Amino acid sequence: PRSTLFPYTTLFRSGFFSLYIGIDLGTANTLVNVHGKGIVINEPSWVVINKRSRETIAVGYSAKEMVGRTPANYVAIRPLRDGVISEFEITKSMLEYFIGKVHQQAIVPMPRPRVCIGIPSGATEVEKRAVYDAAMAAGAREAYLIEEPRAAAIGAGLPINEVKGTMIVDIGGGTTEVAVISMGEIVISRSLRIAGDELDEDILQYIRKKYNLLIGERMAEQIKVAIGSAYPLQNELTITARGRNLITGLPGSIEVSSVEIREAMNPSIQIIVDTIKDALDEVPPELVSDLLDSGVCLAGGGSQILGLVPRLKDELNLRVWMADDPMTCVARGAGLVLENLGRYKRFLVGLERSASKG
């Protein structure tokens, strides 16, 4: 009967049953956290479009598979660079795809979702606005922004509301975020546009210079994940790199060791280490005392490089530990913010017409 259905219909239209979606809109991967379900999407931030019509052909895994293999009229694009939007329309299409995919998984049709997205702490006002506008254009009912270090700290379960210093280092694909947080506020922060992508480029250039072999971005990433390290390994590893010989122009392959790849990545890793040291240098003495107890928490996909924890322990003289499931920390943190908006609202990044609204 209509009288029975009326209250539920009203709640549905008012958005009571809206999905709460936390998004880590990363340079390398986009992760989506849905309230009550956890991480439901973890796909590469790649989009393939038709050059002429600008029509979206593929997104995520299917798009990444096409990288370097597309015909002349298609192009594979990563619409985010250094953690911020470089291609607005393509980012909007990518968000529409991911939000649509979440809705397809719902048992019943849902109203437009509430969305919280992590952004680099060094993002400009224009870059923040672009993320907000893309989320709204992609179908969000409400969009909120949160700085990635805060989201990562919440997702990692750090006690950021306490009168005690905690340190988070979030190494993603495009940016490395370093922050010391106390009483819910960021005391010291650094946003460095050197992260996983830069390490891939280091490997690519090293192999090109040393072996005259041109490898692709995907091959460089595979090498980094398989044998990349920041610290000498107990048993050094090897992998076969495949590409094009720059002298003969023919296909070629060589075997590279983890020692060589460590040498290739070392300059960028040292910059990350020096940035953390630089941040620590400005931390007030009382908070340094706290950090001696709590240590440094690592989050983000880039933090999973072999030997990074012992390397940082040696360099920083602090306890260094990895968050549980480090790659999903930002998405999980953004989701928790939406679920507890009253508690975490003050952590949101204010915009004139967006996150400042309740």
Side-chain angles (χ1 to χ4, degrees), residues 242-303:
R242 297 183 178 89
R244 186 175 77 242
N245 189 301
L246 290 169
I247 297 170
T248 65
L250 300 173
S253 64
I254 49 104
E255 192 169 62
V256 292
S257 72
S258 51
V259 177
E260 293 174 292
I261 300 307
R262 187 161 60 249
E263 182 190 334
M265 299 193 309
N266 189 61
S268 293
I269 288 175
Q270 191 59 52
I271 291 171
I272 292 171
V273 171
D274 290 343
T275 302
I276 299 169
K277 284 181 176 177
D278 182 48
L280 282 168
D281 193 41
E282 292 188 27
V283 175
E286 291 299 330
L287 289 181
V288 171
S289 173
D290 293 338
L291 295 181
L292 284 167
D293 293 330
S294 61
V296 178
C297 176
L298 298 185
S303 68

Side-chain angles (χ1 to χ4, degrees), residues 19-52:
L19 288 170
Y20 284 28
I21 301 178
I23 300 177
D24 178 4
L25 193 60
T27 307
N29 293 280
T30 296
L31 290 90
V32 179
N33 180 85
V34 175
H35 174 50
K37 292 184 179 179
I39 303 294
V40 296
I41 293 172
N42 180 358
E43 294 200 31
S45 301
W46 280 97
V47 181
V48 172
I49 62 165
N50 185 308
K51 281 184 184 176
R52 297 189 187 92

